[in-house]
Amino acid sequence: MAISISVVLLLLIVAVIFMRNGALKVTHGLVCMLLGFFLAGSNMAPTINSGLTATADLVSSLHP
């Protein structure tokens, strides 16, 4: 759960930066938000979740 909250916060920060720079309009943000809600309710949600979890585990295991 902590991974998904941090990903949501990161995406929110990026979206706010894009909107402030004019690269992302409010309507584009709403479309992206609706896409996220529809993807979360689809059959692809567990696959996306496991892919993000595997990526987060891989990144956290890297040591510079």
Side-chain angles (χ1 to χ4, degrees):
M1 185 63 157
I3 292 174
S4 63
I5 291 173
S6 62
V7 169
V8 169
L9 287 177
L10 175 68
L11 291 175
L12 178 66
I13 290 169
V14 170
V16 168
I17 290 171
F18 282 160
M19 283 185 9
R20 290 184 65 109
N21 289 336
L24 180 69
K25 307 258 187 274
V26 175
T27 54
H28 298 143
L30 290 174
V31 169
C32 291
M33 183 180 69
L34 288 174
L35 175 64
F37 280 120
F38 285 125
L39 276 177
S42 72
N43 291 336
M44 291 178 53
T47 306
I48 294 170
N49 189 16
S50 64
L52 286 174
T53 303
T55 304
D57 290 341
L58 177 71
V59 169
S60 68
S61 68
L62 295 176
H63 298 290

